[in-house]
Amino acid sequence: MSANANANTVNANEAAAALVGAHVRAVLVNETQYSGLVVVYERSAGLLVLQAKGSSEAKHNFHFLKVTAIKHIERVQSQPAQPAVQIPANPPPQQTQQPAKPSAWSLKAGAPTAAQIVAGKASTATPAPTASSSSPSTQLETAVPPPPSALVQINTSAPFNFQKISQRRQAAVNAARESADKIGVNVSKRAQDIFNALDKTLPTRWKGDAIIVLDEVMIMAPYGIDDVRGITPTSATAVDRVQKVLEQVMKRFTV
């Protein structure tokens, strides 16, 4: 590797490490775009991990991007945070007004007193009840507690299965690395399209700018029928098979 290649690798690693914690938009060499929060940069594997929104607020999607496959990356402004609710340090105590307890023997509102009846200044007829009158039958509204079924039950006795979590994490990392290896570095869009078409039928991987099929056949640029070569002397059957598949792929591109 030349000194310029080493310098470019160091600069790419430093730039990727500096993006941890930032919201970015990345464009790959095949023009695929990803946006999200950079949560991890794994220097040994050269992977940049983006956290993006999932199908709901409680779910997230994670994109594992190979640094060497990134064509362009830029910081984007994150969504503004919601303003925090200000809570006073010493809130004043709430004053509750106790409803008046009606008396079982008291006269109704508007009824004449005994002195008025003796003096003949008031009628002994019982006045019609008004909306403001109170009686012993007045019912007070009380708060009804929610039913037990409406309460959330949290099981705190079940322990976390850290082994299962670690296995799922490792499986996700392996799948991300395998997906990242499917993206060619410094290759044209046509070369990537040919690779994707072959990979749907045969086990395919990149080796530099060459396409390796079945670990027995190498297809060099410009990736034509005549560019198919056998890796071993016993690869003649594999070469014939790959040439037939590549011929069908090229027909689709020329239609």
Side-chain angles (χ1 to χ4, degrees):
M1 185 179 291
S2 62
N4 292 335
N6 287 329
N8 292 336
T9 302
V10 172
N11 293 337
N13 290 334
E14 292 178 353
L19 292 174
V20 175
H23 290 263
V24 300
R25 182 177 67 89
V27 181
L28 304 186
V29 293
N30 60 354
E31 304 301 330
T32 305
Q33 297 186 15
Y34 296 95
S35 299
L37 174 67
V38 181
V39 292
V40 176
Y41 170 60
E42 188 176 348
R43 184 181 295 270
S44 60
L47 289 177
L48 204 65
V49 183
L50 302 186
Q51 174 183 315
K53 291 183 178 180
S55 57
S56 63
E57 295 183 359
K59 295 183 179 180
H60 299 281
N61 293 330
F62 292 90
H63 304 294
F64 294 77
L65 308 181
K66 203 170 184 179
V67 174
T68 54
I70 298 177
K71 177 181 178 182
H72 173 72
I73 189 168
E74 61 181 357
R75 292 174 180 261
V76 296
Q77 186 176 2
S78 60
Q79 295 181 353
Q82 297 294 333
V85 178
Q86 300 294 332
I87 301 177
N90 297 316
Q94 297 182 355
Q95 296 181 357
T96 57
Q97 183 177 2
Q98 298 294 336
K101 297 182 179 180
S103 174
W105 52 268
S106 60
L107 295 176
K108 295 182 179 181
T113 63
Q116 292 175 335
I117 294 175
V118 172
K121 296 182 179 181
S123 172
T124 57
T126 303
T130 60
S132 60
S133 63
S134 61
S135 64
S137 62
T138 303
Q139 296 182 354
L140 301 179
E141 294 182 358
T142 58
V144 179
S149 58
L151 302 178
V152 178
Q153 301 295 333
I154 301 177
N155 185 8
T156 58
S157 61
F160 287 102
N161 191 338
F162 291 101
Q163 182 178 2
K164 186 176 181 180
I165 295 174
S166 178
Q167 292 175 352
R168 292 180 60 185
R169 174 187 175 276
Q170 188 61 41
V173 171
N174 293 339
R177 288 178 177 176
E178 182 178 354
S179 178
D181 291 338
K182 299 293 184 181
I183 301 176
V185 180
N186 297 327
V187 297
S188 64
K189 183 179 183 301
R190 176 178 177 274
Q192 185 65 52
D193 292 340
I194 294 175
F195 178 95
N196 295 339
L198 292 173
D199 190 52
K200 293 180 179 179
T201 307
L202 303 171
T204 310
R205 61 183 175 87
W206 284 103
K207 185 178 181 181
D209 60 349
I211 301 176
I212 306 298
V213 186
L214 297 170
D215 286 333
E216 296 185 48
V217 179
M218 176 182 295
I219 307 176
M220 303 296 296
Y223 313 104
I225 303 297
D226 297 333
D227 301 313
V228 181
R229 301 285 187 272
I231 298 178
T232 63
T234 60
S235 302
T237 302
V239 169
D240 183 65
R241 180 182 177 186
V242 171
Q243 284 180 334
K244 291 180 179 179
V245 175
L246 182 60
E247 184 179 1
Q248 299 298 323
V249 171
M250 300 302 294
K251 288 181 179 179
R252 277 185 280 169
F253 289 162
T254 56
V255 172

